[in-house]
């Protein structure tokens, strides 16, 4: 069953009199357990695509379905619920809260839902351990390297046990070696727990790592290929 479906999706932004057609009839279907990359140049529509998949924004045409539900038909509360329970989002610039420690940043994603604080702390610590940050839990973001911050962001996205993780150029601000290790980590989590990953990149070198690549150009999907992985 598909966890994510785009049916002839259009997204037009209006800036005063100017219109930008960021997505022009995108069809895409992502099955549970997939590990898939959207490859495209800057301005091709990657962030727009991920924001629509993440129920952060609505399309101006066509339909986006997450786990069988048409996102645009959901109330604001139902969308918030979808974002906090079903989807994990990893931002290009990490978006960590600078005054909180790594542990507190990850705990925050669970605290939105409520529950016992001791359980929340344990679960957040377990996820940080899993991404290799056991010794850095009490560090604030400014005391972490770029790669470590991105690992915190991955732990935060995964701590709610989402079905679908969206990662917008998760390696763009990292050196090549660190980028490689972040991709390896996501792949491992995909293989171990069956979490579906959809990430965007403009780094051709990372493409060899994934099972399916979708190339987007000027708001249109131009090629889809299965790789040998
Ligand atoms: N909020 C916005 N308002 C107006 N235009 C936007 C907005 N966001 C993106 N765009 C435009 O939509 C196109 C696709 O942008 P984006 O999805 O950010 O591409 P990418 O992530 O691949 O760089 C670009 O032409 C960009 O300038
Ligand atoms: Mg972008």
């Amino acid at each position: 069953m598909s966890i994510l479906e785009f049916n002839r999706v259009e997204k037009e932004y209006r800036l005063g009199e100017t219109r930008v057609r960021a997505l022009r009839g995108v069809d895409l279907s992502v099955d549970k357990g997939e590990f898939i990359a959207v490859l495209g140049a800057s301005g091709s529509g990657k962030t727009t695509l991920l924001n629509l998949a993440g129920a952060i924004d609505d399309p101006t045409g066509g339909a986006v379905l997450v786990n069988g539900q048409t996102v645009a038909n959901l109330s604001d509360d139902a969308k918030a619920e979808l974002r906090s329970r079903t989807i994990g989002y990893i931002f290009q610039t990490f978006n960590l809260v600078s005054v909180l420690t790594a542990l507190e940043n990850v705990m925050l994603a669970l605290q939105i839902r409520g529950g016992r604080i001791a359980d929340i702390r344990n679960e957040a610590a377990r996820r940080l351990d899993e991404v290799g940050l056991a010794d850095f839990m009490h560090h604030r973001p400014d005391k972490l390297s770029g790669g470590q911050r991105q690992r915190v962001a991955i732990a935060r996205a995964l701590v709610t046990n989402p079905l679908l993780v969206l990662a917008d150029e998760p390696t763009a601000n990292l050196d090549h070696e660190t980028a490689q290790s972040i991709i390896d980590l996501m792949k491992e989590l995909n293989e171990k727990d069956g979490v579906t990953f959809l990430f965007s990149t403009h780094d051709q070198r990372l493409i060899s790592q994934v099972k399916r690549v979708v190339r987007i150009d000027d708001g249109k999907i131009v090629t889809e290929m299965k790789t040998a992985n």
Side-chain angles (χ1 to χ4, degrees):
M1 185 199 150
S2 21
I3 175 82
L4 177 67
E5 217 173 296
F6 276 51
N7 293 329
R8 298 172 168 267
V9 170
E10 304 271 337
K11 180 66 183 178
E12 187 175 89
Y13 295 108
R14 293 204 183 96
L15 285 172
E17 293 296 290
T18 321
R19 287 161 179 226
V20 180
R21 285 185 71 197
L23 296 182
R24 309 163 181 251
V26 169
D27 286 314
L28 179 65
S29 176
V30 178
D31 285 339
K32 280 191 178 141
E34 274 203 90
F35 191 77
I36 167 173
V38 176
L39 177 68
S42 177
S44 58
K46 301 183 298 296
T47 296
T48 301
L49 189 151
L50 290 180
N51 286 348
L52 296 182
I56 291 171
D57 208 354
D58 283 326
T60 46
V64 175
L65 286 81
V66 176
N67 211 18
Q69 291 182 298
T70 302
V71 176
N73 294 344
L74 300 175
S75 66
D76 287 348
D77 282 352
K79 276 185 204 164
E81 181 90 1
L82 189 68
R83 284 192 298 265
S84 70
R85 291 188 184 269
T86 309
I87 299 165
Y89 207 107
I90 300 168
F91 299 91
Q92 184 178 346
T93 49
F94 320 133
N95 284 16
L96 300 176
V97 182
S98 61
V99 296
L100 300 182
T101 64
L103 183 64
E104 289 163 344
N105 266 281
V106 178
M107 287 174 67
L108 204 55
L110 285 175
Q111 281 170 301
I112 293 169
R113 289 183 186 179
R116 285 182 52 218
I117 197 79
D119 295 340
I120 289 174
R121 184 175 290 114
N122 284 341
E123 191 52 26
R126 188 180 73 77
R127 284 297 185 180
L128 282 164
D129 185 26
E130 188 176 35
V131 299
L133 290 180
D135 296 335
F136 298 89
M137 294 196 195
H138 303 296
H139 288 52
R140 295 211 173 87
D142 64 353
K143 294 287 188 301
L144 297 171
S145 69
Q148 288 171 333
R149 285 180 211 173
Q150 195 57 300
R151 284 168 187 270
V152 177
I154 291 172
R156 179 182 57 186
L158 286 165
V159 77
T160 57
N161 293 318
L163 293 174
L164 173 65
V165 175
L166 305 165
D168 194 11
E169 298 199 42
T171 59
N173 292 310
L174 305 175
D175 62 78
H176 186 62
E177 204 173 308
T178 312
Q180 193 76 64
S181 79
I182 290 290
I183 295 289
D184 289 345
L185 171 64
M186 295 199 302
K187 207 159 93 178
E188 186 192 319
L189 294 167
N190 164 262
E191 282 166 7
K192 182 165 65 75
D193 300 333
V195 182
T196 312
F197 276 86
L198 171 64
F199 72 98
S200 76
T201 185
H202 62 239
D203 190 344
Q204 187 76 56
R205 293 172 300 185
L206 295 174
I207 293 313
S208 60
Q209 304 294 306
V210 306
K211 297 181 189 124
R212 179 149 79 105
V213 180
V214 165
R215 185 186 289 273
I216 185 169
D217 184 23
D218 199 17
K220 281 199 210 101
I221 291 190
V222 288
T223 46
E224 274 202 49
M225 46 194 174
K226 283 227 191 289
T227 61
N229 291 292

